[in-house]
């Protein structure tokens, strides 16, 4: 089988991978590229098929599980406003269910109480429970278990 047919097969499998994002077609495309190299060297059809099968098996049974395990892991660092969740802040202006102001990581943030029945006084330490837009949702530190 001519090497350029293997290249066409690899391209078709690459396109299929682009649309499915399963990693299966991408690994098969790589196996087809190996078969194209084997065909280009001058090895017969049986050798090309063995190269294709061996490369595809190695990819599907060794590389794919490792790649899926790495893709499933959460990133180790949080970025942007997500990095502020769990931080300690100080109340600058009384925090209620609708408004307030805190000093968080050296900046002043608008805030509101996580528990709508709470009124958090000036100077109290709070923990940031979540961020909604530019508003920190906070809970007093002394009430945490």
């Amino acid at each position: 089988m001519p090497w350029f047919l293997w290249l066409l097969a690899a391209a078709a499998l690459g396109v299929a991978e682009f649309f499915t994002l399963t990693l299966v077609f991408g690994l098969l495309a790589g196996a087809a590229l190996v078969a194209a190299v084997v065909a280009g060297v001058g090895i017969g059809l049986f050798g090309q098929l063995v190269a294709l099968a061996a490369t595809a098996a190695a990819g599907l049974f060794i590389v794919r599980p490792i790649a899926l395990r790495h893709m499933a892991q959460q990133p180790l660092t949080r970025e942007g406003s997500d990095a502020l969740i769990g931080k300690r802040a100080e109340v600058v202006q009384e925090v209620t269910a609708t408004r307030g102001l805190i000093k968080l990581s050296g900046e002043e943030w608008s805030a509101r109480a996580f528990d709508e029945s709470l009124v958090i006084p000036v100077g109290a330490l709070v923990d940031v429970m979540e961020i909604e837009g530019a508003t920190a949702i906070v809970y007093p530190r002394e009430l945490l278990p």
Side-chain angles (χ1 to χ4, degrees), residues 78-88 104-105 107 109 127-131 136:
R78 293 186 291 182
E79 298 175 342
S81 61
D82 286 339
L84 298 174
I85 296 173
K87 296 271 186 177
R88 184 185 326 187
L104 174 62
S105 295
E107 299 177 340
W109 278 70
D127 283 328
V128 177
M129 305 303 279
E130 58 186 277
I131 301 284

Side-chain angles (χ1 to χ4, degrees), residues 31-62:
L33 285 175
V34 169
V37 169
V38 169
V41 170
I43 297 177
L45 181 62
F46 181 71
Q48 296 168 29
L49 292 175
V50 168
L52 176 77
T55 307
L60 294 175
F61 296 117
I62 297 172

Side-chain angles (χ1 to χ4, degrees), residues 28-144:
L28 292 176
L33 285 175
V34 169
V37 169
V38 169
V41 170
I43 297 177
L45 181 62
F46 181 71
Q48 296 168 29
L49 292 175
V50 168
L52 176 77
T55 307
L60 294 175
F61 296 117
I62 297 172
V63 175
R64 186 170 186 266
I66 293 170
L68 290 177
R69 191 172 33 239
H70 282 284
M71 289 180 356
Q73 292 178 350
Q74 293 293 325
L76 297 176
T77 59
R78 293 186 291 182
E79 298 175 342
S81 61
D82 286 339
L84 298 174
I85 296 173
K87 296 271 186 177
R88 184 185 326 187
E90 182 180 352
V91 176
V92 176
Q93 181 183 27
E94 185 177 75
V95 176
T96 65
T98 56
R99 63 182 180 84
L101 197 62
I102 61 171
K103 187 161 189 123
L104 174 62
S105 295
E107 299 177 340
E108 289 189 351
W109 278 70
S110 60
R112 61 185 174 89
F114 183 73
D115 183 352
E116 295 179 0
S117 65
L118 291 177
V119 175
I120 307 169
V122 174
L125 294 177
V126 293
D127 283 328
V128 177
M129 305 303 279
E130 58 186 277
I131 301 284
E132 284 183 2
T135 303
I137 313 302
V138 298
Y139 196 78
R141 259 185 110 61
E142 70 256 1
L143 297 180
L144 289 174

